[in-house]
């Protein structure tokens, strides 16, 4: 009996020759344009589904990396979206309990403090997101928000910081509406949108030089407005006196008119200043345009937004700092909380714009490029004025 296998029939050979490996069905969102934000808040994309799968296999897409694709209203963690491209991404469930062997941190220990801070950050972020886009709330998002404090309590402080740092590439939650469908939409001021006060985290106070740079910008803006208004007022007064009535009578009483005009100008500059500082510092931005440019804001002693009356009291107290030959402002450089005399009186403080928020790690201790440019240009202008004054004094002395 022969052990050789029988010759295959032509039909079988044809079937084998025409056999092809089964094609893996393409995922539903394989052709969709994807974007993701890495741990350093850098955006990547657009990428197709195959590129996302490949980066997942290389370990570049962690479970907490935020991703976005066409049709989504906001960025979501990769652990929630990976199943659209990969059948088994290999992530542990988001709400999986901690192992039974892990013991709870002792009260008062560093782990317990870090866990409580992480819970505060997660709760504040969820509340801010719901307030910004209440229409985007869904059962899935509500469930993830509810589970966030539980996950944060089991995380170490470093894990909570890194996860929070990757919350958004621009440092702000994606806005609702048409702009939300573009990952490259213009960033919005997260501090102005999120007024939730988070206590117990690090607070970086604005130093003397950063506040001086903000003061230079604000003074320039107020000065431009003042000279524009006063010039228009002078032109209207003189035009009405010369062409609107008896010019000879007006010329005889011109002295009294000029004095009244000077008083009116000083009143105008006071009104412009109080409207500018009180209006901006008590607004949702919590800062004047100069303070916004250098990245600081004004809050009360508890980190809350100023009321109109407190902002008005702070402005009035700044007059005492001027009356003390600016010694009240110099106190900023020597006090622990970087507070001037007007801050002490009004019980306010000037802090980094990310202080008392859910993203304290984004605070900046350095001056920043805007403050450096303003201080350098301001210093050059001051040297120019002093040089011209000295030169004029020398010319006058030589003439005598």
């Amino acid at each position: 009996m022969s052990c050789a296998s029988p010759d295959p029939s032509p039909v079988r050979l044809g079937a084998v020759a025409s056999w092809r490996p089964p094609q893996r069905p393409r995922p539903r969102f394989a052709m969709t344009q994807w974007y993701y934000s890495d741990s350093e808040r850098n955006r990547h994309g657009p990428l197709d589904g195959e590129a996302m799968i490949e980066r997942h296999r290389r370990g570049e897409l962690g479970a907490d990396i935020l991703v976005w694709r066409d049709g989504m209203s906001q960025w979501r963690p990769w652990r929630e979206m990976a199943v659209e491209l990969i059948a088994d991404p290999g992530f542990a469930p988001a709400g999986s309990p901690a192992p039974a062997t892990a013991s709870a941190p002792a009260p008062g220990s560093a782990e317990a403090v870090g866990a409580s801070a992480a819970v505060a950050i997660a709760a504040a972020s969820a509340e801010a997101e719901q307030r910004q886009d209440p229409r985007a709330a869904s059962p899935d998002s509500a469930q993830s928000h509810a589970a966030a404090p539980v996950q944060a309590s089991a995380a170490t402080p470093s894990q909570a910081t890194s996860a929070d740092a990757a919350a958004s590439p621009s440092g702000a939650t994606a806005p609702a509406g048409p702009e939300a469908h573009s990952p490259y939409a213009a960033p919005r001021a997260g501090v102005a949108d999120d007024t939730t006060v988070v206590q117990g985290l690090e607070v970086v106070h604005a130093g003397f030089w950063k506040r001086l740079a903000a003061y230079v910008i604000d003074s320039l803006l107020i000065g431009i407005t003042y000279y524009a208004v006063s010039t228009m007022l002078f032109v209207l007064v003189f035009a009405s006196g010369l062409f609107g009535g008896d010019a000879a009578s007006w010329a005889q009483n011109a002295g009294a008119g000029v004095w009244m005009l000077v008083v009116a100008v000083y009143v105008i500059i006071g009104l412009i200043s109080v409207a500018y500082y009180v209006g901006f510092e008590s607004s949702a931005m919590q800062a004047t345009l100069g303070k916004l440019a250098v990245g600081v804001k004004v809050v009360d002693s508890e980190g809350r937004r100023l009321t109109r009356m407190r902002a008005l009291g702070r402005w009035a107290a700044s007059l005492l700092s001027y009356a003390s030959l600016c010694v009240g402002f110099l106190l900023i450089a020597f006090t622990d909380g970087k507070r001037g005399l007007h801050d002490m009186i009004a019980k306010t403080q000037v802090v980094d714009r990310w202080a008392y928020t859910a993203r304290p790690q984004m605070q900046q201790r350095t001056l920043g490029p805007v403050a450096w440019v303003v201080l350098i240009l301001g210093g050059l202008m001051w040297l120019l004025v002093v040089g011209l004054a000295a030169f004029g004094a020398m010319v006058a002395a030589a003439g005598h």
Side-chain angles (χ1 to χ4, degrees):
M1 181 175 182
S2 175
C3 295
S5 58
D7 293 337
S9 63
V11 176
R12 183 176 300 274
L13 282 174
V16 173
S18 63
W19 181 85
R20 292 292 185 274
Q23 297 292 328
R24 180 170 59 89
R26 298 180 65 86
R28 176 185 175 187
F29 297 100
M31 301 303 295
T32 304
Q33 299 296 319
W34 291 79
Y35 301 81
Y36 73 93
S37 169
D38 59 22
S39 58
E40 297 181 356
R41 301 186 298 276
N42 297 319
R43 292 180 181 176
H44 300 267
L47 302 170
D48 58 17
E50 297 296 335
M52 294 290 289
I53 295 173
E54 181 62 26
R55 299 200 177 197
H56 173 83
R57 290 172 179 172
R58 295 201 303 260
E60 297 180 13
L61 298 179
D64 297 322
I65 291 293
L66 294 181
V67 300
W68 184 92
R69 61 163 173 76
D70 295 334
M72 293 175 57
S73 62
Q74 57 185 346
W75 295 71
R76 306 297 301 175
W78 177 237
R79 83 164 61 244
E80 300 179 9
M81 307 303 299
V83 293
E84 295 185 356
L85 299 175
I86 306 171
D88 184 12
F91 296 139
S96 59
T101 57
S103 58
S109 63
E111 291 79 2
V113 174
S116 61
V119 171
I121 292 174
S125 300
E127 181 180 353
E129 180 180 347
Q130 185 177 6
R131 180 169 57 256
Q132 280 186 327
D133 190 8
R135 294 174 299 175
S138 63
D140 296 337
S141 61
Q143 182 177 1
S144 63
H145 291 332
V150 178
Q151 300 171 24
S153 62
T156 62
S158 60
Q159 292 172 340
T161 302
S162 62
D164 188 68
S168 173
S170 60
T173 305
E179 294 182 359
H181 294 286
S182 174
Y184 292 105
R188 301 177 62 187
V191 175
D193 295 336
D194 182 10
T195 56
T196 304
V197 178
V198 180
Q199 299 284 354
L201 303 178
E202 181 186 14
V203 174
V204 176
H205 293 86
F208 175 81
W209 294 110
K210 185 174 286 189
R211 293 180 63 172
L212 178 61
Y215 173 79
V216 171
I217 298 175
D218 292 332
S219 298
L220 180 62
L221 295 175
I222 292 176
I224 292 174
T225 306
Y226 159 70
Y227 282 111
V229 173
S230 59
T231 300
M232 288 174 26
L233 186 59
F234 270 104
V235 171
L236 289 176
V237 169
F238 280 95
S240 61
L242 293 177
F243 305 105
D246 189 356
S249 176
W250 181 87
Q252 292 178 356
N253 300 320
V258 169
W259 279 108
M260 292 179 62
L261 188 58
V262 169
V263 172
V265 166
Y266 277 100
V267 171
I268 288 173
I269 191 173
L271 293 176
I272 293 175
S273 178
V274 68
Y276 179 80
Y277 282 99
V278 174
F280 276 107
E281 291 180 353
S282 61
S283 67
M285 294 183 294
Q286 300 177 272
T288 59
L289 298 179
K291 291 182 176 66
L292 283 176
V294 300
V296 299
K297 63 181 178 181
V298 185
V299 295
D300 64 8
S301 58
E302 300 297 329
R304 298 183 297 251
R305 173 179 166 182
L306 299 187
T307 62
R308 298 285 186 189
M309 292 305 299
R310 187 178 294 273
L312 178 60
R314 186 176 187 272
W315 178 88
S318 66
L319 301 179
L320 298 178
S321 296
Y322 285 109
S324 63
L325 301 179
C326 296
V327 174
F329 295 114
L330 292 176
L331 292 176
I332 298 172
F334 303 102
T335 54
D336 293 335
K338 310 295 184 183
R339 302 171 69 188
L341 178 61
H342 52 296
D343 290 318
M344 298 177 185
I345 296 175
K347 296 182 179 180
T348 59
Q349 52 182 335
V350 181
V351 298
D352 188 273
R353 64 173 180 168
W354 293 106
Y356 296 105
T357 68
R359 298 181 176 90
Q361 74 281 355
M362 299 186 68
Q363 299 180 90
Q364 300 292 330
R365 296 183 179 276
T366 58
L367 284 178
V370 175
W372 273 114
V373 170
V374 171
L375 290 175
I376 292 174
L377 293 179
L380 292 176
M381 291 296 296
W382 183 81
L383 291 176
L384 179 62
V385 171
V386 172
L388 291 176
F391 178 76
M394 293 174 59
V395 171
H400 288 294

